Amino acid sequence: RYDASAGPPMPPSRSAPAGAWRGLADSLLLQRDDLRLVARLSRRQATLLHATGVATVTELARLTPDQAVPGIDPAGLSRLRRQAALQLEYRAAPEKPPPFETR
């Protein structure tokens, strides 16, 4: 039953039980270019990125090496930035094998 006084639904979560909703959640997150799609990004890091105005995978990938995010160490931010760039590279050419780097 519809309840007009209810707030908006919680945004989809990739960590929620999969079931039939996983595909929908992934689709919505992809449409939003949501930071939660970045591999190995913690909730804390996502919160810190949002606080500095970085809300999408694309925005994270476009950060320059001299840009800092308070609370995220430079090496960690560099890894996240590079991961976001790799994921965008794959989205642009999904017919190719996923790009990867080793440390």
Side-chain angles (χ1 to χ4, degrees):
R1 188 172 135 134
Y2 178 73
D3 180 359
S5 66
M10 294 295 297
S13 170
R14 297 190 82 207
S15 62
W21 297 103
R22 177 66 186 257
L24 176 61
D26 284 346
S27 174
L28 291 172
L29 291 171
L30 192 58
Q31 286 174 5
R32 295 176 183 175
D33 195 27
D34 197 286
L35 278 176
R36 287 174 282 184
L37 293 171
V38 177
R40 303 187 60 113
L41 177 77
S42 72
R43 284 184 186 175
R44 179 182 166 280
Q45 290 167 327
T47 299
L48 293 169
L49 286 162
H50 274 275
T52 60
V54 177
T56 67
V57 176
T58 302
E59 290 169 346
L60 174 56
R62 290 184 179 161
L63 288 178
T64 60
D66 62 315
Q67 288 179 287
V69 174
I72 301 178
D73 69 280
L77 182 59
S78 178
R79 282 191 300 274
L80 291 172
R81 184 177 52 246
R82 188 63 194 133
Q83 179 63 40
L86 287 170
Q87 289 180 223
L88 289 177
E89 185 180 333
Y90 176 67
R91 279 192 217 167
E95 70 283 353
K96 294 182 179 179
F100 69 95
E101 294 176 354
T102 57
R103 292 196 268 178

